[in-house]
Amino acid sequence: MATTLFTGGPIFDGHRHRSEVAGVLVRDGVIDTVYAADAAAHLPGPGEVDELVDLAGGLLTPGFTDAHIHAVQGGLERIRCDLSQLYGREAYLQAIRAYADAHPDLPWIVGGGWAMACFPGGTPLAADLDEILPDRPVFLVNRDHHGAWANSKAFEIAGVTAATPDPADGYLERDQDGTPTGTLHEGAMALVADRLPETTAEELLAGLLEAQAYLFSVGVTGWQDAIIGAYAGMSDPGPTYASAARSGQLAADVVGALWWDRDRGVEQIANLVARREAYAAGRFRATSVKVMQDGVAENGTASMSAPYLDRCGHATHNQGHSFVDPGVLAEAAPLLAAEGFQVHIHAIGDGAVTEALDALEAAIAAHPEADRRHHVAHLQFVRPDDQPRFGQLGIAVNMQTLWACQDAQMIDLTLPHVGPERATWQYPWAAMVGHGAPLVAGSDWPVSTPDPWKALHVAVNRTDPDDGGEPLNPEQALTLEVALEAYTSGSAWVNHRDDAGVIAPGRTADLVVHDRDPFASEPDGIADVRVVSTWVAGVKVHDATIATSPEK
């Protein structure tokens, strides 16, 4: 049986920071012994273990579990026209032109990662793309994946004109005569996305393997993929996960959240059950169902209980969209729970949050004995009267903590349209912890970086890890210990990984070695923590000392 001894540094055991540990022994993929400081004399010697890992004062943690991510989509974007590491209109256009020149045989230029804040009103123009690519169709999703940027050739191929009506679940940006100007929001993306070439099985597998390597490099050893289904031009990644799990190429542990088709009702549940059975293989299981209840605040599609404001502070007629009728959601949640599914709901506006809580409360009341571990993701706007309900009901708060800061998107596209009172309701993590809510954490990558330490920085500081600035609602900051618990044992729990997420005897040895101990320094340096090595079931899957950096 292979043995590895980690020694020479503190650990975070999934619940608390421990500096008094002499070492952690892993045997055959499982944590065998956690040696207290006074047991240092009993540590195995170099000749008694297969590998000795010197932490050199760095922190040893459980592997991170990302509780809300789109890994295959993120991997595909990294190998397509990837704008996620750039910022600004000119930088995007230069990169798009260079990508197109390098791939002259591609029928479409696809990819994404552009930021809304780089364009007036958050809406880029087809005319800009037309200048560099007038004869090749372009379709690029934005960073939050709730909108896309297309050129005139793409609209022409899709037959989208001034006469094309907006769908019920989205809209096109238009000029005064109704002609689409280049940006498609929410369900309107399908008007063009449905005409994209189908992604091949080989491309999907390449995207998954690219994503897995990248996630291992930032210490993520397991995740919940939040859309297992076809959406916004993306093919269903479920068969790809199942195939990779059967072949052994999937080394991470993954839960898939099957996509709830918002154009259908409870009659789709039988199909979800069948897909769950068909996809089950090895380290992949599709045991959750994802409901996207609303959109995002930046484009006015997050569902609010009161209207958005215009730039002058006056109420508009827009309160956003509830993509699933609240009555249907309240009917579906108990039925899904009865079939053994966990329910995972996207809710950003305070109206959508209430609708999600009401539906999950019905599911829990119908099946109080069931251990489903339902969760609600994002939770940007949560009214004070809803904040205690998570703890009361045992519904997990699925945080994307990186967003809880005053970045350009928040300052330019959100705060002016919600007003001062609602601004204080944003990302109320500390309040919900105070009411006993279970906390889990994820990145929503490729919407934002999957690096947990960037997100942990914002959870503790409530400031942008790159640009600083004034903190957003600093009273809602978390301690590093609480935030790190959410990203390790908390997220493992929501994935029903009761064997992982904790450094304790008998637990799976999913572990991460870091280059420093952030508990020993000031909180403004949390984002600077780097991963040295990542281990899955005792096997090293990433080594920063020999690996080529996956960062672009």
Side-chain angles (χ1 to χ4, degrees):
M1 293 189 292
T3 54
T4 304
L5 179 66
F6 298 85
T7 187
I11 72 170
F12 177 81
D13 68 6
H15 300 292
R16 61 191 179 94
H17 180 253
R18 296 173 59 184
S19 58
E20 79 291 353
V21 171
V24 175
L25 178 65
V26 172
R27 189 184 305 276
D28 198 26
V30 176
I31 296 168
D32 180 275
T33 310
V34 179
Y35 293 91
D38 59 7
H42 301 291
L43 287 173
E48 299 175 277
V49 294
D50 296 298
E51 186 165 2
L52 179 63
V53 178
D54 181 7
L55 300 176
L59 183 68
L60 181 70
T61 71
F64 295 106
T65 296
D66 193 310
H68 186 106
I69 194 170
H70 308 280
V72 178
Q73 197 168 26
L76 283 171
E77 286 190 15
R78 283 176 64 83
I79 60 179
R80 290 176 167 172
C81 185
D82 183 14
L83 306 179
S84 65
Q85 304 301 312
L86 305 173
Y87 194 82
R89 172 182 172 276
E90 291 304 320
Y92 295 152
L93 292 172
Q94 290 175 13
I96 295 163
R97 183 195 292 273
Y99 180 85
D101 289 345
H103 300 84
D105 297 329
L106 289 178
W108 283 70
I109 303 302
V110 295
W114 53 272
M116 293 177 68
C118 294
F119 302 94
T123 58
L125 300 175
D128 288 337
L129 294 174
D130 294 344
E131 287 187 12
I132 60 170
L133 291 169
D135 300 319
R136 298 175 69 185
V138 181
F139 184 81
L140 302 163
V141 294
N142 70 10
R143 289 187 185 181
D144 65 24
H145 286 242
H146 289 264
W149 181 13
N151 69 347
S152 296
K153 190 64 175 180
F155 284 126
E156 176 189 328
I157 291 172
V160 176
T161 69
T164 303
D166 288 336
D169 59 349
Y171 64 97
L172 295 160
E173 294 289 338
R174 303 173 186 265
D175 63 18
Q176 291 184 342
D177 67 4
T179 300
T181 56
T183 305
L184 310 90
H185 298 287
E186 302 294 348
M189 289 187 288
L191 297 172
V192 174
D194 287 349
R195 302 300 298 270
L196 297 178
E198 185 173 354
T199 304
T200 67
E202 292 77 15
E203 289 173 314
L204 288 165
L205 179 60
L208 173 57
L209 298 181
E210 171 73 16
Q212 180 173 252
Y214 183 32
L215 293 170
F216 285 162
S217 78
V218 294
V220 174
T221 57
W223 60 83
Q224 184 161 148
D225 195 305
I227 298 182
I228 301 299
Y231 172 72
M234 174 71 185
S235 302
D236 180 3
T240 304
Y241 274 116
S243 176
R246 293 187 184 103
S247 69
Q249 291 170 290
L250 182 66
D253 188 272
V254 181
V255 168
L258 297 168
W259 177 246
W260 180 267
D261 185 343
R262 57 203 189 203
D263 294 325
R264 302 172 63 195
V266 297
E267 73 279 0
Q268 68 185 284
I269 293 176
N271 176 260
L272 295 173
V273 172
R275 289 172 62 211
R276 176 178 61 189
E277 301 309 312
Y279 293 161
R283 301 178 72 86
F284 179 66
R285 56 207 176 278
T287 51
S288 187
V289 171
K290 162 69 176 299
V291 180
M292 186 180 289
Q293 187 57 15
D294 68 343
V296 294
E298 294 82 14
N299 66 11
T301 59
S303 180
M304 298 290 201
S305 60
Y308 287 91
L309 307 179
D310 62 21
R311 283 280 175 181
C312 297
H314 301 132
T316 68
H317 297 293
N318 177 36
Q319 290 184 223
H321 295 274
S322 291
F323 294 139
V324 179
D325 180 272
V328 173
L329 184 61
E331 178 188 10
L335 295 175
L336 290 168
E339 292 290 352
F341 282 113
Q342 173 190 84
V343 182
H344 176 170
I345 302 178
H346 160 124
I348 284 184
D350 69 293
V353 172
T354 299
E355 292 161 1
L357 286 169
D358 290 347
L360 294 179
E361 183 171 13
I364 293 166
H367 306 283
E369 76 293 342
D371 182 24
R372 300 290 182 254
R373 308 181 189 181
H374 304 304
H375 49 128
V376 183
H378 311 323
L379 298 166
Q380 182 169 355
F381 295 92
V382 187
R383 290 195 309 276
D385 56 327
D386 273 339
Q387 293 169 14
R389 297 179 66 191
F390 290 88
Q392 293 164 359
L393 296 168
I395 295 169
V397 170
N398 190 331
M399 308 180 294
Q400 285 62 59
T401 61
L402 186 75
W403 305 349
C405 64
Q406 298 209 49
D407 60 9
Q409 190 156 290
M410 175 68 69
I411 294 168
D412 297 335
L413 301 177
T414 302
L415 294 178
H417 301 291
V418 298
E421 181 182 13
R422 283 185 292 193
T424 66
W425 301 348
Q426 292 190 94
Y427 306 115
W429 313 138
M432 291 190 283
V433 170
H435 290 297
L439 289 188
V440 307
S443 65
D444 207 9
W445 182 64
V447 173
S448 42
T449 176
D451 183 350
W453 290 104
K454 298 283 190 182
L456 291 164
H457 180 101
V458 182
V460 174
N461 294 286
R462 305 284 289 205
T463 56
D464 188 300
D466 298 316
D467 300 327
E470 291 297 315
L472 177 72
N473 302 336
E475 71 280 2
Q476 299 298 344
L478 300 174
T479 66
L480 179 56
E481 201 163 64
V482 168
L484 193 50
E485 181 179 40
Y487 235 125
T488 53
S489 61
S491 292
W493 168 84
V494 89
N495 267 7
H496 289 266
R497 284 292 312 279
D498 295 334
D499 64 316
V502 174
I503 299 178
R507 300 297 185 99
T508 298
D510 293 350
L511 300 168
V512 186
V513 177
H514 300 92
D515 68 347
R516 70 197 76 184
D517 178 11
F519 288 92
S521 57
E522 294 300 314
D524 60 3
I526 292 172
D528 298 326
V529 176
R530 294 292 179 266
V531 170
V532 175
S533 61
T534 304
W535 306 69
V536 172
V539 176
K540 188 188 298 182
V541 294
H542 173 74
D543 186 339
T545 65
I546 61 174
T548 300
S549 173
E551 286 288 353
K552 293 187 177 182

